[in-house]
């Protein structure tokens, strides 16, 4: 049965065609102050919603009485409250696997770029400051053989561990809700407490999802436990780290540097003190942002929505309890 879908992120023509072959699609390239009211109005009679990077909370859902399925073009689900969606009878679907390797590449790019001062040194050349054979003032720090601590051994954390262990001979420590025997066997990863990880690792990489439990989990106390000269990498969500505490740890020299793809507020403020520090590599949330992967995510999300609206949602379901009819 043809139903109405609201699309709130620009997607390729072939992805739009996937949706339009089965349903009527109202599309917004993105949602902003100028079109938010129109977006909410379009939801009045919509059965499906697909997009990313917009908070979908009661201020939206209360105006979508017929909404049955939301498909996010992301692995992160922090823009949603799955429990509330379940209460409303709305299934939420995401795109976990398609972006794992690309996002892990971004994490390792940040490890290398921050350790070897790649952005700073590229600017050094571009600014004409390379006038003689470089000296100690241009040195970075080694990556191979150093200890990597992974906070959150999920799909992306595991892919970062593989790169570290098999590619760079790095001992891998990890903290997770539960041990991961697969990662331990494949990469020699060692499960430990967050405190032990922070005290032992030369590089700490954040790959936990943002939840009420992980919000602010890396604060002043945790940063103070990190090894002097350690490097912090974040490819998950900015608000997992207390950004004010991070700035202090960088400014007081406790940390050698930070490689950040995500920030408490995005886009990061142009006057942020993080952007004034040469030992901070800041990226605009490009974790999954390759042509191939973003297209693959959009195709996955479109198929997820088509499956959900036809009653065939069997994969990538965040809140499967909503699909199980309550006992009569
Ligand atoms: C992008 C991400 O934010 O998948 C996620 O959770 O953080 C990134 O892939 C997402 O694709 C929305 O554009």
């Amino acid at each position: 049965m043809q139903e109405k879908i609201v699309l709130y992120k620009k997607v390729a023509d072939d992805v739009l065609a996937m949706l339009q072959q089965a349903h009527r699609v109202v599309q917004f390239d993105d949602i902003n102050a100028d079109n938010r009211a129109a977006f909410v109005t379009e939801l009045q009679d919509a059965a499906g919603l697909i997009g990313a990077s917009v908070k979908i909370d009661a201020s939206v859902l209360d105006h979508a009485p017929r909404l049955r399925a939301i498909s996010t073009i992301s692995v992160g689900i922090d823009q949603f409250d799955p429990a509330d969606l379940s209460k409303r009878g709305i299934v939420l679907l995401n795109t976990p696997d398609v972006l794992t390797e690309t996002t892990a590449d971004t994490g390792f790019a940040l490890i290398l770029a921050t350790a070897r001062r790649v952005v700073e040194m590229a600017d050094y050349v571009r600014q004409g400051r390379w006038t003689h054979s470089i000296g100690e003032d241009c040195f970075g720090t080694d990556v191979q053989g150093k200890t990597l601590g992974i906070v959150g051994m999920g799909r992306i954390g595991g892919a970062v561990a593989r790169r570290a262990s098999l590619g760079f001979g790095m001992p891998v420590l990890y903290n997770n809700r539960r041990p991961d025997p697969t990662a331990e066997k494949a990469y020699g990863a060692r499960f430990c407490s967050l405190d032990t990880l922070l005290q032992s690792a030369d590089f700490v990489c954040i790959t936990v999802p943002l939840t009420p439990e992980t919000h602010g989990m890396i604060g002043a106390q945790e940063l103070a436990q990190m090894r002097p000269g350690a490097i912090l990498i974040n490819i998950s969500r900015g608000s997992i780290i207390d950004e004010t505490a991070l700035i202090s740890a960088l400014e007081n020299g406790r940390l050698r540097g930070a490689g950040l793809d995500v920030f408490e507020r995005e886009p990061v403020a142009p006057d942020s003190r993080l952007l004034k520090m040469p030992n901070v590599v800041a990226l605009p949330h490009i974790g999954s942002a390759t042509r191939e992967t973003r297209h693959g995510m959009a195709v996955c999300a479109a198929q997820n929505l088509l499956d959900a609206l036809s009653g065939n949602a069997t994969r990538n379901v965040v809140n499967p309890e909503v699909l199980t009819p309550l006992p009569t």
Side-chain angles (χ1 to χ4, degrees), residues 44-68:
Q44 291 283 358
D45 56 345
L49 179 62
I50 177 172
S53 311
V54 174
K55 192 77 175 170
I56 305 296
D57 57 15
S59 68
V60 174
L61 297 169
D62 287 349
H63 301 279
R66 296 170 58 181
L67 196 60
R68 297 195 286 116

Side-chain angles (χ1 to χ4, degrees), residues 306-324:
L306 294 171
D307 290 347
L309 292 179
S310 62
N312 298 311
T314 55
R315 62 186 191 128
N316 302 329
V317 176
V318 173
N319 57 340
E321 67 276 8
V322 75
L323 300 175
T324 308

Side-chain angles (χ1 to χ4, degrees), residues 9 52-53 73-76 95 99 103 236-237 285 288 294 297:
K9 184 178 177 74
S53 311
I73 309 175
S74 66
V75 65
T95 61
L99 53 68
T103 307
S236 182
R237 289 291 185 268
H285 201 150
S288 62
R294 283 296 176 88
M297 291 167 65

